[in-house]
Amino acid sequence: MRTWRVAVIGRTGRGGYGHMLDTVWKFVPNARIVAVADENPEGLKKAAERLGVRAAYTDYRKMLREEKPDVVSIAPRWADCHLEMVLAAAEAGASIYLEKPMARTPAECDQMIEACDRARVKLAVAHQMRICPILELARQRLAEGIIGEVLELRGRGKEDKRAGGEDLMVLGTHVFDLMRQFAGDPLWALARVTAGGEDIRRRDVRDGPEGLGPIAGDSIAAMFAFSGGLTGYFASRRSDDTSGVRWGLDIYGSRGIMTIRAGMDPVVHVCRSEKWTDAPWERLRLPGDPPPRDDNQANLALVVDLLEAIEQDREPRSSGREARWTIEMAMAVYESQRTGGRVYFPLRRRDHPLLS
C-alpha cells in the first residue's frame, strides 16, 4: 500500500487549523504527516508537537519546495489566504484538502480549479456533509417516496450575531451544498439583502471578519430555481433568540416533511403527513445506530475519498467544482440585490458584486 506524504499549512490567529484539518491525517493508516507550516512561531511549535513532526516551517512555500508532499492540507478557516495557498500547492504538484469557504469569489474558485487541472492534481473542499451516511440514507428514503413528491426546500443559516452577510458565507455555503445534493444545480436566483429593515446601500458594505471579503446586510432572503419546477429558499436574519438551532435544510413534500439539522453529524427527522402537522416526528437512523461522528471522523471520509480519487484519477466527491457552486450561490444573492432581478447560473460576473 502506498504511503502518502502529507504536509499541513495552518495560520495561528488568522484562521488557525480549521475544523481539525491537520489532525485528521493521523487517522489515515497509509498517510504520514511529514511537515507543518505556520507563520506564527508559537502556533507552529504547538502544531509540530500536536502532529508529531520535526519539519516545521514559518514559510509554507519553502516547506512545499523542500518536502515535496503528495497532499497538502490547507487548514486555515479564513478565506483570504486560500487562493495563494492552493496555487502554490498545485504548482508544487500536491493534491489539496481545503477548508471552507472555498474562496471569496467565483473568480478565485476558477483560478484554483484551473491551476489544479493544469498540474493534474486533485482538490477537495471540507464540506463534511457531502459524504455522510445519514444523508445518503435520507436521499434513498426520499427516492422511495417517504414524503411523496418533493415540493420545495427551505434552508437557514445559524442566524446568530453573524446573521446576514457573514452567515451567508460561513454557514450558508454548507446549506447551499446540501440543497444541491437534493435538488441538483440551480438555474437562477432572486434575492433581497437588507440592513436595519432597508435595502442595503453602498454605505452598508464592510470588510467581513475572518478574511471573508466584502459583506453586507443583517437579513437575507433568497430564492433559487432548480430544474423540474423545484424551488429552494435560503434565509438568515439577525436575532438574539437563536444560536444555530434552525441551521440546516427542510424539505417539504406532498406527503410530509424531512428536516436536516446541519453539523458534522446531521440529525434527520421526518413527519409523514399531507397536512405537515398531525403526525409524530420520527428520527431517521442508520442501522445499528452508530455513535455520533466527531470532526475528525467527518473529515476522514473526505480525505480517504481524496486519496482514492488520486489513485483512480477521478474527481473527489467534495471537489473544488462542487464547492465552487456554493460561492456562486452566495455571490448570486448579492448580484440579484445589486441588479434588482434574477441572475442566471453560471454567473457571468466572476468578481465580487459588492465591489461595484
Side-chain angles (χ1 to χ4, degrees):
M1 181 181 294
R2 175 178 178 178
T3 298
W4 300 91
R5 292 169 47 82
V6 178
V8 174
I9 302 175
R11 203 168 61 150
T12 299
R14 301 176 62 201
Y17 289 80
H19 291 285
M20 300 185 179
L21 267 70
D22 54 344
T23 56
V24 62
W25 296 100
K26 297 173 73 173
F27 298 91
V28 182
N30 58 328
R32 181 167 66 92
I33 305 172
V34 297
V36 59
D38 189 328
E39 63 191 22
N40 182 298
E42 185 61 27
L44 177 60
K45 180 181 177 181
K46 291 179 179 178
E49 293 173 353
R50 183 172 65 247
L51 299 176
V53 296
R54 293 184 178 180
Y57 298 78
T58 55
D59 182 345
Y60 69 84
R61 295 180 185 276
K62 182 178 180 181
M63 178 187 71
L64 293 171
R65 288 195 303 271
E66 295 190 2
E67 300 295 335
K68 298 179 173 54
D70 301 310
V71 181
V72 177
S73 214
I74 299 177
R77 190 179 65 254
W78 292 20
D80 59 342
C81 61
H82 287 182
L83 175 61
E84 64 182 40
M85 289 179 176
V86 167
L87 296 184
E91 185 178 355
S95 291
I96 299 149
Y97 185 49
L98 174 66
E99 179 63 293
K100 49 66 56 185
M102 179 178 178
R104 296 169 295 184
T105 65
E108 290 186 348
C109 297
D110 295 342
Q111 291 180 66
M112 293 179 187
I113 293 168
E114 289 165 5
C116 291
D117 285 348
R118 284 196 304 272
R120 299 183 65 82
V121 298
K122 306 300 180 183
L123 171 60
V125 180
H127 285 289
Q128 290 88 358
M129 289 182 287
R130 181 150 282 271
I131 300 181
C132 183
I134 191 63
L135 296 184
E136 292 175 1
L137 179 61
R139 288 192 292 273
Q140 177 185 333
R141 292 289 188 266
L142 284 174
E144 294 168 354
I146 191 170
I147 60 169
E149 179 187 0
V150 175
L151 304 178
E152 64 183 54
L153 301 89
R154 300 180 188 175
R156 300 195 80 91
K158 279 201 170 178
E159 300 188 288
D160 50 20
K161 64 182 182 180
R162 298 170 293 182
E166 186 177 351
D167 205 11
L168 175 71
M169 289 295 293
V170 177
L171 287 314
T173 53
H174 279 303
V175 176
F176 296 148
D177 194 58
L178 275 175
M179 279 190 182
R180 289 188 56 253
Q181 288 188 54
F182 291 96
D185 298 339
L187 304 175
W188 53 262
L190 181 65
R192 187 185 187 197
V193 183
T194 60
E198 302 292 335
D199 288 339
I200 59 169
R201 302 179 184 181
R202 184 175 295 275
R203 69 189 183 201
D204 297 309
V205 178
R206 66 189 189 280
D207 286 333
E210 301 188 355
L212 291 174
I215 63 172
D218 56 25
S219 180
I220 288 172
M223 177 173 71
F224 296 91
F226 297 92
S227 61
L230 186 59
T231 303
Y233 301 91
F234 173 81
S236 175
R237 187 178 183 88
R238 188 165 299 162
S239 169
D240 296 329
D241 301 330
T242 63
S243 56
V245 295
R246 291 192 296 262
W247 177 42
L249 184 69
D250 298 336
I251 303 173
Y252 288 75
S254 59
R255 295 198 300 273
I257 309 170
M258 177 179 286
T259 69
I260 301 168
R261 289 298 160 261
M264 294 292 182
D265 189 46
V267 176
V268 181
H269 284 88
V270 175
C271 172
R272 305 194 209 194
S273 166
E274 294 180 357
K275 296 181 180 179
W276 298 345
T277 58
D278 61 351
W281 287 89
E282 312 163 31
R283 182 167 176 178
L284 199 63
R285 296 185 182 275
L286 293 164
D289 197 16
R293 300 197 309 173
D294 60 23
D295 288 12
N296 270 321
Q297 288 172 314
N299 283 312
L300 182 60
L302 291 177
V303 299
V304 168
D305 178 74
L306 170 61
L307 298 181
E308 291 176 352
I310 298 169
E311 291 181 326
Q312 299 167 11
D313 192 22
R314 60 166 173 83
E315 284 279 277
R317 289 175 61 184
S318 187
S319 70
R321 284 183 170 83
E322 298 287 356
R324 176 169 57 185
W325 275 103
T326 68
I327 304 304
E328 288 215 34
M329 291 173 76
M331 292 301 103
V333 170
Y334 288 132
E335 181 69 354
S336 176
Q337 173 67 30
R338 186 184 74 85
T339 60
R342 292 183 182 182
V343 292
Y344 291 83
F345 296 104
L347 297 181
R348 285 190 288 180
R349 177 171 187 156
R350 310 303 287 176
D351 62 353
H352 205 298
L354 293 180
L355 294 178
S356 296

